[in-house]
Amino acid sequence: MGYDLVLRSRRVITPAGERPAAVCVRDGRIAAVEDYHAVDGQDLGELALLPGLVDTHVHVNEPGRTEWEGFRSATLAALAGGVTTIIDMPLNSLPPTVTVDALRVKRRAAAGQCHVDVGFWGGAVPDHLADLAALYAAGVFGFKAFLVDSGVPEFPPLDPAGLRQALAAVDATFLIHAEDPAELRVAPNSVRYADFMASRPPAAERRAVAGVLDAARATGARVHILHLSAAETLPLIAQARRDGLRVTVETCPHYLTLMAEDVADGATQFKCCPPIRGAGNRDALWAGLASGIIDCVVSDHSPCTPELKHADVGDFATAWGGIASLQLGLPVVWTEARRRGHELADLVRWMARRPAEIAGLSGKGRIEAGATADLVAFDPDTTFSVDPALLRHRHAVTPYAGRMLAGVVRGTWLGGQPVAPSGPPRGRLLSRTGVGA
């Protein structure tokens, strides 16, 4: 049949569910999904064949803060974790991606370093709202905005009027860090996680999400709620959908698998914003994911240098808020999902197909004819203990150290070509208007 590659597995995860199949690739795309016995090819046996995961929430930080993370190390971590496409967030790099010139700087920094495909979000900040249309035309996939202090001075938040102005400026997807500053409190210097968690209560998310939904009603904009941690916001989102608003929602592996009750004094590797909450909230997030109110699970990979975590003193107030989990997201979520009775098809929907759809990556995140041949051979039953020294992101800091997880990536194909962390970088730079869009 003239195929470049045929992968056969008894567990191919397609949009219609799991089945034995032969996935046939030509010119970097899936040309056909045939019966398992219909075509000869490389036989994966009982290894599951997944579409490459799509992680739309990654802070690479290069250029400017490359000592935190860079394109080479981030994409190596992604590749090792079955993630074949990432979209880089516009902040923590210098300059932030808030102008066309800054986007060019970011793309130059990434060129030749990427082991997976990489796209870029733009930023919506007060002094650059006039740049949104040009930046969107230049190929960013949408825009991120904060409603609270971002943690870096060069990426200030939008107030309610600025948010509405941004939403009305261009018909793009707007990704919102939704916490209301009026509901936040100053975290005391403390080693107690409960003191930090109390400074960012669920009410801060609930009020901010309500405000975002009001702005979406007024403008008709597409809004995406980032890293949802407070389950009490889910009824607001469900009602907004019934009202016809264009709203989507993500959560993250740490909110689905970790819980406040297990965070020891001084364990600042668990700090993120919004915070990891209690076990009951975690269960409610899983219910929201199962019901479809929460669309997808992405990493919010937000690394920093070990010094910025202040592990020596364990002060939650001064430690950087962010969790690096790009390499571990697949087994972390699968371990808990399996325990709760979910299947690999659910995992693929949450971590591949829906993130791709939300970002507008129409060829990504699914195994069907016409899709990009980004594929992952996954062993869902093998278990391992997380060794930070084996992680490929720049710094070996993780709240998952020593945790027993299920699921190991056994092989990866990018555009139908086998790729491995030991090989050359073959990732492409994606654009909403060009390659991979």
Side-chain angles (χ1 to χ4, degrees):
M1 298 294 291
Y3 297 129
D4 303 322
L5 173 72
V6 175
L7 295 174
R8 302 167 71 236
S9 168
R10 298 186 182 277
R11 305 188 64 184
V12 177
I13 312 302
T14 74
E18 179 178 324
R19 68 180 179 93
V23 177
C24 309
V25 176
R26 185 188 300 119
D27 297 331
R29 293 192 171 271
I30 298 171
V33 181
E34 301 283 5
D35 181 78
Y36 176 80
H37 296 288
V39 188
D40 289 332
Q42 182 177 342
D43 198 335
L44 302 176
E46 296 298 326
L47 291 180
L49 188 63
L50 319 181
L53 302 192
V54 177
D55 194 333
T56 55
H57 196 149
V58 178
H59 294 271
V60 176
N61 306 328
E62 185 177 5
R65 292 189 174 96
T66 311
E67 70 275 14
W68 294 16
E69 188 72 286
F71 284 102
R72 182 180 181 276
S73 53
T75 58
L76 281 170
L79 181 59
V83 178
T84 55
T85 303
I86 67 171
I87 305 188
D88 172 60
M89 282 293 172
L91 72 156
N92 298 349
S93 57
L94 294 169
T97 316
V98 296
T99 66
V100 173
D101 285 343
L103 175 62
R104 293 190 185 110
V105 170
K106 182 73 71 82
R107 290 176 67 89
R108 284 198 297 270
Q113 293 204 75
C114 298
H115 288 263
V116 301
D117 288 352
V118 177
F120 303 94
W121 298 111
V125 298
D127 290 342
H128 289 283
L129 297 184
D131 292 286
L132 295 180
L135 191 51
Y136 195 52
V140 299
F141 285 86
F143 298 96
K144 179 175 186 177
F146 275 77
L147 305 185
V148 293
D149 181 7
S150 71
V152 290
E154 67 275 2
F155 203 95
L158 297 176
D159 62 18
L163 175 63
R164 293 199 180 200
Q165 183 182 347
L167 297 184
V170 59
D171 184 17
T173 299
F174 282 84
L175 296 77
I176 312 297
H177 180 124
E179 290 180 284
D180 189 321
E183 293 287 341
L184 301 184
R185 306 161 195 167
V186 177
N189 294 107
S190 173
V191 299
R192 296 181 65 248
Y193 181 71
D195 293 336
F196 165 68
M197 185 170 63
S199 73
R200 303 185 92 102
E205 286 189 80
R206 186 183 68 247
R207 281 191 54 172
V209 167
V212 170
L213 296 175
D214 286 344
R217 284 190 181 91
T219 61
R222 291 174 302 198
V223 293
H224 179 73
I225 306 300
L226 294 169
H227 45 50
L228 187 78
S229 84
E232 67 182 54
T233 62
L234 295 175
L236 295 176
I237 294 160
Q239 183 59 55
R241 292 228 180 101
R242 289 192 290 270
D243 293 343
L245 271 66
R246 298 189 293 172
V247 56
T248 50
V249 185
E250 69 182 44
T251 194
C252 303
H254 39 281
Y255 300 130
L256 294 170
T257 60
L258 305 176
M259 52 187 179
E261 293 87 342
D262 290 341
V263 181
D265 286 354
T268 55
Q269 67 269 29
F270 287 83
K271 181 181 176 181
C272 56
C273 301
I276 296 161
R277 305 191 190 276
N281 181 84
R282 181 182 68 168
D283 291 342
L285 289 177
W286 274 104
L289 189 60
S291 71
I293 299 174
I294 299 174
D295 296 271
C296 63
V297 182
V298 292
S299 68
D300 189 9
H301 179 75
S302 185
C304 66
T305 61
E307 293 76 17
L308 289 176
K309 278 295 188 182
H310 294 178
D312 54 339
V313 294
D315 182 6
F316 281 99
T318 57
W320 176 260
I323 290 176
S325 63
L326 186 54
Q327 184 171 335
L328 296 173
L330 175 55
V332 163
V333 177
W334 172 237
T335 301
E336 186 68 13
R338 183 172 67 167
R339 188 180 73 82
R340 292 173 180 265
H342 293 287
E343 300 177 346
L344 285 173
D346 299 317
L347 190 79
V348 165
R349 182 173 67 256
W350 300 329
M351 302 186 76
R353 181 169 63 85
R354 286 299 287 140
E357 289 172 346
I358 290 165
L361 288 161
S362 60
K364 300 277 191 178
R366 65 189 194 278
I367 295 179
E368 64 180 13
T372 304
D374 298 341
L375 302 164
V376 172
F378 182 61
D379 179 350
D381 298 320
T382 295
T383 59
F384 66 98
S385 175
V386 175
D387 180 353
L390 299 180
L391 298 178
R392 293 184 176 269
H393 60 254
R394 190 174 297 281
H395 300 292
V397 177
T398 174
Y400 301 109
R403 194 178 184 96
M404 287 300 299
L405 300 178
V408 176
V409 172
R410 299 297 190 189
T412 307
W413 294 261
L414 188 64
Q417 297 294 317
V419 289
S422 59
R426 293 181 175 171
R428 302 175 301 171
L429 301 187
L430 306 181
S431 168
R432 186 184 61 83
T433 57
V435 173

